Amino acid sequence: MTETRTKKRGSAAEPLFESAEWTFDTLKLAYDAVEKIGKRDLKLDIYPNQIEVITAEQMLDAYTSTGMPLMYRHWSFGKHFAHEQTSYRRGMRSLAYELVINSNPCINYLMEENSATMQTLVIAHAAMGHNHFFKNNYLFKQWTNADAILDYLAFAKSYVRECEERYGLEEVEGILDAAHALMNQGVSRQPKIPISSRSMKKEQKQKKRQEHEEATYDDLWRTVPKLRQPAHGPDEMPGSGNGDSFDLGLPEENVLYFLEKHAPRLKDWQRELLRIVRMLAQYFYPQRQTKMMNEGCATFVHYEIMNKMYERGQLTEGSMLEALHLHSAVVMQPAFNDRRFSGLNPYALGFAMMRDIQRICDDPTAEDREWFPDFAGNGDAMGTLKDAWANYRDESFILQFLSPAVIRDFRLFGLHDDSEDPEVTVTSIHNESGYRNIRRMLARHYDAGEQDADIRVTDADLSGNRRLTLTHYVRNKRLLNKQEGERTLQHLAQLWGHRVKLLEVDAETKKPIRELEALPIP
Amino acid sequence: MHIIDRRLNPKEKSLGNRQRFLRRAKEEIRNAVNESLKRRKVTETESGEKIRIRAKSLHEPSFGLGRDGERDFVLPGNSDYIVGDTIPKPPEGGGGGGSAGSADGHGEDDFVFTLSKEEFLDLFFEDLKLPNLVKVKLKDTRSPTPVRAGYTVDGPPAKINRVRTMRNSLARRIALRRPSLENIEQAEDELEEAERNGETDEKTLALLRERANRLKHLRRMVPFIDPLDLKYNRFEHVPKPITQAVMFCLMDTSASMTQSLKDLAKRFFMLLHIFLTRHYREVDVVFIRHTSVASEVDENTFFRSTETGGTVISSAFEEMKRVQQERYPADEWNIYAAQASDGANDLGDMARCIDMLDRTILPLCQYYAYIEVGTHISESIIWSGFSPLEKRQRHFAMRHVSSPDEIYPVFHDLFSSAESQ
């Protein structure tokens, strides 16, 4: 029976699995088949994969501690865990089917509850799609070091634990709380401090230095009278004495970096903790900037691979239906007035744009030729897509590739909102004059630098009253949330150790609008 | 590609985070626990609890943009709007225009999560203990505690002491001059080089060859770890002194105690019972209820049954004394008592009651707590009768409870470890 069927289908293979239950053998078979298509047909360039099967609790745990396999201990992760767990138990939320980590080897977590089909889809999605994106996108290449991240996290975890043992839970918690509050301000947007494996190694050096100090510690020195502390203090600070903001490299957009280097009262281990949080903030920054492309890429890849597998007879019709059902759920985009609407779905938009690029390459219309003369009809969809995946982020990708066809399909329209008006105004719709506007507005929406408040350290008086001044350059009259701002500023004052002022000035006219201030509480 | 099954990894990986989280929110959680006690029925005190807190200390602030100002945004699903149309804004906080609200700071919603039974009770009874637990006596050792007692040369593999074992192994290897791999390699290299250089002197070659062989032989003969090296941790089972304590719970169940007053008293004893069974496994609890006559009853009857009658408190003291003399000799047991009543007593019994408490009961007890339930509009007979004792006897305490939410604070006050007594 089996033989005749195989013959009838010609080159078609046997289905990899027929039951919904997966075993480690089917997982291996599915992976090999997916990888073959990914590497041979789509010519993806990926890190070696490591597939890990985990339980629901482990999944909850993974994504409440920022999705990393190891992480230092902090109450906020416990809080998120408690929250997620409650809503998961009540059935208010379902869990992700997979989680993938930008590391080398690339770690993919698969949930044990997934059916065999889902596992296959998820492998195609994460182990091929995300993996390729991580390895090739310029932002990840520039900012993250996939080889070193796991080692670094291991270092961070043990360092924080040692600090807790040495200086007490509360001390460490205070620093980490403050650092977390400033995490969004812990990112350098211009490549100034590249994260190389060399700077990662510095962490180990720091540890060695401390060990050496301990090994050579002689209790006798304790009996020798100490120099008076204040006379000793300022020497540790670079650029002290003149308070010249130029020496401090001001203005500085990376507040955490500035504090780590220049805060007058922090101890070495406290600086190290700030550094750990800053490194993580920087590591995650590319993910924020490429969320839509990354998901689009992964969705596109799994769609291609699943279809190829079905064509080759490696999936049964039942499996393919299940896969399509999942796929369509993932890329669903409810309209703005739909009850399910919660913003633009990055999977949907990313996938639609990439399918659209494929269409433009293979079968362009006159409109496409006019809008995209560079690649319309070039017949090399994969090449064009791979170039996009490698060299763009969400903002520039939309600016470059969002076509009128997609705008029409999504029925995108632009609005303007002024908090003083009782109504929002429609400014552009999907017509000839609106396309470019919508494209520009949407691109700006995906620009992380545009969405975050633009806050910089602008002055630090190190010789006088030691006041630190930050400036928020206000765009479009959008001030900070006052209460949040004050609380965050309080954290900042704790780290700086002296008075801290936050000026809010209009970005264009430089006119001061508001001023917040905080004093450290001893 | 590797496939790894992580499902068997140790559970509760996030326990450390959870503990830090609970510690952080302790004040708020304790308040919430106290709140929840009000709502709970007497019978369900010992179970987990869903906790709703609004915790300032759990807030994680960040510099976020406020709601004011201008912004442009793009939405999907335009049906019939054209340029220039206006759409009224959805009322504040009323969902609707999704992306419009996304960048704003999140509000301080109530934070709901579930505490396990253990966590609930841990928080509940934190810092509480029985005061004056002094009479320590060596009881027969039913659960001896293992105590470290040096090292031994045999034992189960799980108890191998690796440091000691490796230390022995190292010493032995040095003493017996076990060659390292480098030594052997070096000898072989020298031999090879000599051969390559066309060393013709057979004697030298033989010497080198012999040396290499001898080193290899020696390495085989001296094992890395010899059974002689093995050291195991040794444990001895040492009987641990166990402090014996008994708690007498005296409750007035007379007719003057209304259902709600009884409920209050029962809640108090329920709390006491859980506290004792949880923290002092060796504590005996004796339940005595009384109307005009007193009787010792079991736990179930004590908490659940209803009976009515007059009030003669001294009867309860008599019963307590009887039980104590029968089963709990005062020189061996730490004796505690807690009494709950609405403050009413038979007038003729009052003198005898105070006298008994003062002369017989209090000298026996390590600590005696009197709880008066009720509205306490005017001073009750018992309260005024017992008040002088409180000043005189350091281990006698009395408190009022008029509503369920006072129970926990009073309880906490009576048994807090930072004793004021």
Side-chain angles (χ1 to χ4, degrees):
Chain A
M1 266 281 285
T2 326
E3 273 173 31
T4 50
R5 198 171 65 190
T6 318
K7 269 177 199 156
K8 223 183 269 173
R9 279 208 189 177
S11 66
E14 276 291 288
L16 296 171
F17 48 82
E18 304 211 359
S19 91
E21 294 293 318
W22 59 268
T23 63
F24 283 96
D25 291 333
T26 37
L27 220 53
K28 177 98 180 80
L29 274 179
Y31 180 83
D32 289 342
V34 167
E35 188 185 60
K36 208 166 143 194
I37 297 176
K39 281 192 169 164
R40 287 216 193 135
D41 297 10
L42 305 183
K43 301 208 169 47
L44 299 177
D45 170 27
I46 57 174
Y47 292 122
N49 276 301
Q50 180 167 321
I51 309 279
E52 306 196 357
V53 181
I54 61 173
T55 61
E57 191 202 284
Q58 287 168 324
M59 176 61 88
L60 267 173
D61 185 49
Y63 67 64
T64 46
S65 48
T66 63
M68 302 308 282
L70 19 98
M71 196 66 194
Y72 54 82
R73 301 228 173 276
H74 189 256
W75 62 267
S76 62
F77 306 137
K79 169 184 152 183
H80 293 140
F81 187 86
H83 191 64
E84 295 283 341
Q85 196 181 32
T86 310
S87 38
Y88 175 61
R89 290 229 174 112
R90 284 180 177 178
M92 281 159 54
R93 191 165 317 173
S94 55
L95 293 177
Y97 305 124
E98 61 45 60
L99 199 75
V100 53
I101 289 157
N102 168 25
S103 64
N104 182 14
C106 181
I107 299 178
N108 300 267
Y109 291 118
L110 308 188
M111 283 266 276
E112 62 169 344
E113 281 97 339
N114 296 352
S115 68
T117 311
M118 282 160 87
Q119 300 291 33
T120 312
L121 182 110
V122 158
I123 290 172
H125 182 90
M128 297 296 134
H130 283 308
N131 191 340
H132 173 87
F133 197 84
F134 286 146
K135 191 171 176 192
N136 293 283
N137 186 266
Y138 79 105
L139 277 176
F140 287 94
K141 278 186 179 171
Q142 191 170 32
W143 288 111
T144 67
N145 184 346
D147 297 316
I149 185 64
L150 292 182
D151 289 340
Y152 185 72
L153 285 172
F155 158 78
K157 186 175 177 181
S158 66
Y159 191 83
V160 171
R161 194 186 54 230
E162 277 165 32
C163 285
E164 283 181 342
E165 280 163 15
R166 195 176 297 247
Y167 309 106
L169 277 178
E170 261 126 89
E171 288 285 313
V172 173
E173 203 172 271
I175 298 288
L176 286 180
D177 287 356
H180 284 182
L182 296 167
M183 212 160 172
N184 281 344
Q185 277 70 43
V187 177
S188 297
R189 287 167 179 89
Q190 264 67 52
K192 189 170 57 180
I193 336 158
I195 302 188
S196 63
S197 56
R198 226 180 76 224
S199 75
M200 291 276 189
K201 281 204 185 98
K202 264 167 113 180
E203 321 303 327
Q204 274 124 43
K205 268 192 201 155
Q206 145 86 18
K207 198 172 162 201
K208 281 221 182 87
R209 200 159 53 233
Q210 196 177 359
E211 274 166 11
H212 172 77
E213 271 171 22
E214 273 163 22
T216 55
Y217 173 78
D218 190 337
D219 198 41
L220 204 59
W221 289 111
R222 204 166 43 80
T223 61
V224 178
K226 265 188 196 151
L227 277 178
R228 281 190 55 226
Q229 282 296 334
H232 195 65
D235 296 351
E236 293 163 5
M237 295 175 325
S240 66
N242 49 19
D244 192 343
S245 55
F246 187 73
D247 278 1
L248 299 173
L250 295 176
E252 170 64 62
E253 60 168 349
N254 191 333
V255 180
L256 277 182
Y257 175 79
F258 181 84
L259 289 171
E260 176 197 325
K261 298 298 175 205
H262 303 300
R265 301 182 101 162
L266 291 182
K267 303 199 178 67
D268 281 349
W269 65 270
Q270 293 171 320
R271 289 178 208 280
E272 194 63 34
L273 291 182
L274 292 191
R275 186 180 167 78
I276 286 171
V277 176
R278 177 169 67 81
M279 296 295 246
L280 287 177
Q282 195 74 60
Y283 172 81
F284 288 119
Y285 192 57
Q287 313 216 352
R288 269 187 69 199
Q289 288 181 284
T290 55
K291 169 97 178 143
M292 187 269 287
M293 282 191 80
N294 202 340
E295 295 301 355
C297 166
T299 310
F300 181 85
V301 166
H302 84 225
Y303 185 76
E304 288 286 313
I305 290 179
M306 293 307 271
N307 273 312
K308 286 233 161 62
M309 285 178 82
Y310 176 64
E311 278 167 25
R312 292 177 190 181
Q314 289 168 315
L315 293 179
T316 61
E317 287 184 354
S319 300
M320 191 57 197
L321 269 179
E322 187 190 345
L324 285 175
H325 176 73
L326 267 172
H327 172 79
S328 53
V330 164
V331 298
M332 195 205 43
Q333 175 64 65
F336 76 100
N337 47 9
D338 191 302
R339 277 183 51 198
R340 291 165 298 177
F341 178 75
S342 61
L344 273 168
N345 177 353
Y347 294 81
L349 185 63
F351 179 69
M353 283 182 66
M354 285 163 197
R355 286 283 287 173
D356 191 52
I357 291 172
Q358 195 181 30
R359 182 189 59 79
I360 294 171
C361 288
D362 295 339
D363 182 21
T365 61
E367 182 187 49
D368 296 328
R369 286 192 192 280
E370 184 202 328
W371 278 67
F372 304 106
D374 295 351
F375 64 92
N378 70 359
D380 180 18
M382 271 321 279
T384 313
L385 277 171
K386 269 193 235 169
D387 176 60
W389 292 337
N391 300 313
Y392 290 84
R393 58 189 177 123
D394 287 355
E395 181 240 352
S396 53
F397 180 64
I398 288 179
L399 221 45
Q400 199 64 233
F401 292 101
L402 184 66
S403 71
V406 173
I407 297 179
R408 282 194 299 269
D409 284 349
F410 275 74
R411 298 188 161 270
L412 295 176
F413 64 124
L415 299 115
H416 178 79
D417 175 23
D418 188 329
S419 58
E420 281 161 24
D421 295 337
E423 291 163 328
V424 289
T425 318
V426 177
T427 50
S428 324
I429 59 166
H430 52 277
N431 58 18
E432 208 54 49
S433 57
Y435 291 142
R436 282 181 202 278
N437 263 335
I438 289 176
R439 189 151 93 164
R440 204 178 47 244
M441 279 156 74
L442 195 62
R444 199 174 296 159
H445 173 76
Y446 277 100
D447 185 359
E450 196 75 25
Q451 294 301 316
D452 289 344
D454 179 9
I455 294 174
R456 292 177 217 171
V457 180
T458 42
D459 190 26
D461 182 357
L462 287 181
S463 55
N465 57 15
R466 297 200 163 179
R467 186 172 65 188
L468 181 71
T469 310
L470 288 90
T471 309
H472 171 212
Y473 296 98
V474 179
R475 288 176 302 237
N476 295 328
K477 296 190 274 183
R478 297 193 62 188
L479 293 171
L480 291 179
N481 178 327
K482 185 146 184 277
Q483 196 186 19
E484 293 282 295
E486 277 168 351
R487 285 178 177 179
T488 315
L489 203 63
Q490 186 59 50
H491 276 309
L492 182 55
Q494 293 308 118
L495 290 179
W496 179 248
H498 299 277
R499 188 182 291 272
V500 177
K501 193 168 80 173
L502 175 71
L503 286 170
E504 297 199 84
V505 305
D506 193 284
E508 273 135 40
T509 61
K510 303 282 180 259
K511 212 173 71 193
I513 307 173
R514 193 168 65 175
E515 209 178 296
L516 303 175
E517 229 176 12
L519 263 175
I521 303 163
Chain B
M1 191 267 306
H2 301 283
I3 298 179
I4 302 173
D5 190 356
R6 288 268 182 227
R7 289 171 296 176
L8 302 174
N9 274 20
K11 288 208 163 81
E12 307 277 336
K13 193 175 141 206
S14 57
L15 193 66
N17 290 333
R18 175 135 180 126
Q19 285 162 344
R20 280 166 179 73
F21 159 66
L22 291 181
R23 193 179 64 79
R24 174 84 174 203
K26 197 184 272 165
E27 275 312 303
E28 285 88 355
I29 294 176
R30 233 198 240 146
N31 291 341
V33 164
N34 191 17
E35 277 292 304
S36 80
L37 187 70
K38 258 193 277 185
R39 282 182 280 109
R40 289 178 146 214
K41 294 209 185 80
V42 178
T43 45
E44 56 181 32
T45 319
E46 198 159 347
S47 67
E49 175 65 357
K50 198 180 284 164
I51 291 292
R52 179 185 294 269
I53 54 173
R54 175 174 291 171
K56 233 186 202 159
S57 55
L58 285 182
H59 186 66
E60 297 169 271
S62 65
F63 285 129
L65 295 174
R67 288 183 165 274
D68 294 340
E70 296 170 30
R71 83 196 88 184
D72 291 308
F73 56 98
V74 175
L75 293 178
N78 180 14
S79 44
D80 45 16
Y81 292 118
I82 55 162
V83 175
D85 279 356
T86 54
I87 308 171
K89 286 181 198 174
E92 282 296 309
S99 73
S102 63
D104 300 338
H106 20 240
E108 275 179 67
D109 290 338
D110 281 4
F111 187 78
V112 183
F113 65 101
T114 314
L115 282 179
S116 73
K117 181 183 137 192
E118 293 292 307
E119 287 167 338
F120 181 82
L121 293 174
D122 268 346
L123 279 166
F124 214 81
F125 296 121
E126 208 188 22
D127 318 324
L128 299 186
K129 67 173 192 186
L130 285 176
N132 313 331
L133 200 59
V134 286
K135 291 178 203 163
V136 175
K137 194 163 185 296
L138 203 66
K139 216 176 166 187
D140 63 327
T141 53
R142 270 174 305 168
S143 58
T145 335
V147 173
R148 269 185 193 282
Y151 307 96
T152 167
V153 289
D154 55 44
K159 291 222 165 98
I160 280 187
N161 184 305
R162 278 170 298 187
V163 175
R164 286 277 161 158
T165 304
M166 289 317 289
R167 191 185 290 170
N168 285 345
S169 151
L170 184 63
R172 185 180 45 77
R173 279 180 279 138
I174 291 172
L176 297 180
R177 296 174 198 282
R178 183 180 198 255
S180 68
L181 274 179
E182 283 117 71
N183 286 347
I184 295 177
E185 260 166 37
Q186 199 189 348
E188 280 179 338
D189 284 351
E190 272 170 31
L191 178 65
E192 234 172 70
E193 204 176 309
E195 280 172 342
R196 209 175 327 117
N197 291 350
E199 176 68 61
T200 45
D201 188 0
E202 263 309 312
K203 223 170 158 188
T204 327
L205 273 177
L207 255 176
L208 286 172
R209 203 167 294 136
E210 202 222 290
R211 193 164 75 111
N213 284 339
R214 200 186 62 232
L215 286 176
K216 273 192 250 173
H217 179 69
L218 198 56
R219 191 171 164 89
R220 262 200 310 279
M221 292 305 289
V222 183
F224 187 75
I225 289 190
D226 191 274
L228 272 175
D229 301 334
L230 296 179
K231 289 281 179 229
Y232 298 84
N233 291 329
R234 202 171 92 84
F235 291 89
E236 251 173 22
H237 292 278
V238 182
K240 220 182 142 199
I242 294 171
T243 48
Q244 303 184 102
V246 58
M247 171 69 78
F248 287 93
C249 299
L250 314 177
M251 180 163 64
D252 181 0
T253 53
S254 64
S256 61
M257 290 278 279
T258 61
Q259 198 51 49
S260 64
L261 293 185
K262 273 181 197 156
D263 194 50
L264 274 181
K266 280 177 187 170
R267 274 170 194 260
F268 179 81
F269 285 121
M270 190 67 94
L271 214 55
L272 185 62
H273 187 207
I274 296 168
F275 169 59
L276 292 176
T277 47
R278 206 179 146 71
H279 284 228
Y280 299 90
R281 249 194 309 165
E282 302 297 327
V283 167
D284 284 9
V285 185
V286 176
F287 297 103
I288 294 171
R289 60 169 189 185
H290 71 89
T291 50
S292 53
V293 286
S295 56
E296 188 192 352
V297 294
D298 64 7
E299 187 186 331
N300 222 4
T301 328
F302 186 79
F303 285 120
R304 283 165 228 270
S305 86
T306 51
E307 74 165 2
T308 51
T311 317
V312 179
I313 288 181
S314 61
S315 68
F317 291 157
E318 291 285 358
E319 178 70 8
M320 175 176 163
K321 202 176 145 207
R322 185 188 64 78
V323 173
Q324 181 264 321
Q325 276 170 352
E326 254 170 41
R327 304 209 298 261
Y328 303 104
D331 53 343
E332 284 178 25
W333 288 81
N334 291 293
I335 298 173
Y336 295 86
Q339 182 194 1
S341 128
D342 58 352
N345 193 13
D346 187 72
L347 261 180
D349 183 49
M350 217 42 223
R352 185 172 133 74
C353 173
I354 293 172
D355 184 59
M356 262 197 91
L357 184 63
D358 194 15
R359 300 239 187 118
T360 323
I361 303 293
L362 283 181
L364 281 176
C365 289
Q366 236 68 40
Y367 186 62
Y368 191 101
Y370 170 70
I371 309 298
E372 189 163 304
V373 292
T375 46
H376 192 62
I377 301 158
S378 58
E379 208 164 67
S380 66
I381 339 175
I382 299 186
W383 190 268
S384 52
F386 283 3
S387 293
L389 291 179
E390 197 187 13
K391 293 189 189 85
R392 213 143 30 86
Q393 305 269 19
R394 279 163 52 83
H395 58 289
F396 179 75
M398 44 203 285
R399 297 283 187 280
H400 269 295
V401 174
S402 57
S403 67
D405 55 331
E406 282 174 28
I407 290 181
Y408 181 64
V410 164
F411 187 83
H412 205 267
D413 185 29
L414 286 173
F415 293 99
S416 71
S417 55
E419 300 161 44
S420 48
Q421 287 92 358

